[in-house]
Amino acid sequence: MSVPTPESAALETEVLLVQRLRDRDEGAMTIFYDKYSAALYGVILRIVKKEEIAEDVLQEAMVKIWHSFPSYDADKGRLFTWVMNVCRNLAIDKIRSRQYRVGSRTQPIEESAALRQAAEPAFRPEHIGLQEMTRQLNPEQRQIVDLLYFGGFTQSEVAEELSLPLGTVKTRARAAIKVLSKLIR
């Protein structure tokens, strides 16, 4: 009779866990979460860089793992490798998403350095009136200026958002700037 090694005991435990997950045993999912969530969270956090987003991606990954578990093939790799790839792919999808890119481009006003700096006594933002001036642009130009300058979008993102060719966005932006420069003078 052979003495079980720690590796063989771990493999046997993993085989049992996989079988319980295949049988849709919710208790097994709790064991799975306790065993793997910290490592998976670490992988996700390294990719998304923000704890709150990493927590959301981990939650989304757990749901996806539960629902797609029948597609796991133990002959192709270990359980941890499979779930790590699921988490990594979801994290990459998250940072590639438009919502993430727009959200990471802007920061809440509460975190802005501008709040901690005193304004010049003579500075009165309402005297600039740039947003009022944009009302004099035609609707296509105004929409592009709003997205570019007040929405923080790039020209490529505006083209994607409005389903326009990039050249059209650039032409309208350039025309809008010409009109605004005349209004400012």
Side-chain angles (χ1 to χ4, degrees):
M1 177 175 353
S2 65
V3 177
T5 65
E7 292 84 23
S8 66
L11 186 58
E12 189 175 314
T13 303
E14 186 173 301
V15 169
L16 291 172
L17 181 60
V18 167
Q19 187 55 51
R20 287 181 64 191
L21 288 168
R22 285 195 195 288
D23 294 341
R24 313 307 288 159
D25 180 350
E26 291 179 14
M29 192 63 187
T30 302
I31 294 167
F32 170 83
Y33 183 87
D34 291 344
K35 185 173 182 177
Y36 294 112
S37 64
L40 297 173
Y41 176 79
V43 169
I44 295 167
L45 184 60
R46 271 186 253 133
I47 295 169
V48 299
K49 309 276 192 263
K50 294 181 181 171
E51 290 180 4
E52 182 178 300
I53 294 172
E55 291 168 4
D56 289 345
V57 171
L58 179 62
Q59 181 66 33
E60 186 180 337
M62 289 297 162
V63 171
K64 183 169 184 157
I65 290 164
W66 176 253
H67 289 297
S68 64
F69 200 81
S71 69
Y72 168 64
D73 184 356
D75 294 334
K76 291 183 180 177
R78 304 246 350 236
L79 177 62
F80 181 74
T81 305
W82 181 73
V83 296
M84 185 183 65
N85 283 326
V86 169
C87 291
R88 185 178 55 82
N89 291 340
L90 283 173
I92 290 169
D93 289 347
K94 177 59 93 176
I95 63 173
R96 287 181 178 166
S97 74
R98 177 166 178 63
Q99 176 188 7
Y100 180 86
R101 286 182 289 143
V102 169
S104 65
R105 187 174 43 243
T106 59
Q107 62 176 317
I109 192 80
E110 300 84 35
E111 297 173 17
S112 173
L115 261 188
R116 295 185 288 276
Q117 295 175 336
E120 292 292 322
F123 178 70
R124 308 260 327 254
E126 61 274 10
H127 289 170
I128 294 174
L130 186 59
Q131 276 190 306
E132 289 76 24
M133 284 185 210
T134 62
R135 291 190 184 118
Q136 297 179 37
L137 297 172
N138 71 42
E140 290 101 7
Q141 292 172 340
R142 182 170 183 205
Q143 185 178 35
I144 288 176
V145 168
D146 285 346
L147 290 172
L148 286 172
Y149 297 101
F150 303 118
F153 287 61
T154 66
Q155 288 181 336
S156 298
E157 291 169 337
V158 170
E160 183 181 317
E161 178 75 17
L162 300 177
S163 301
L164 293 171
L166 181 59
T168 302
V169 170
K170 289 181 178 191
T171 301
R172 289 180 184 173
R174 201 168 27 252
I177 289 171
K178 283 182 183 179
V179 170
L180 290 173
S181 67
K182 288 178 184 173
L183 292 172
I184 290 173
R185 292 184 194 151

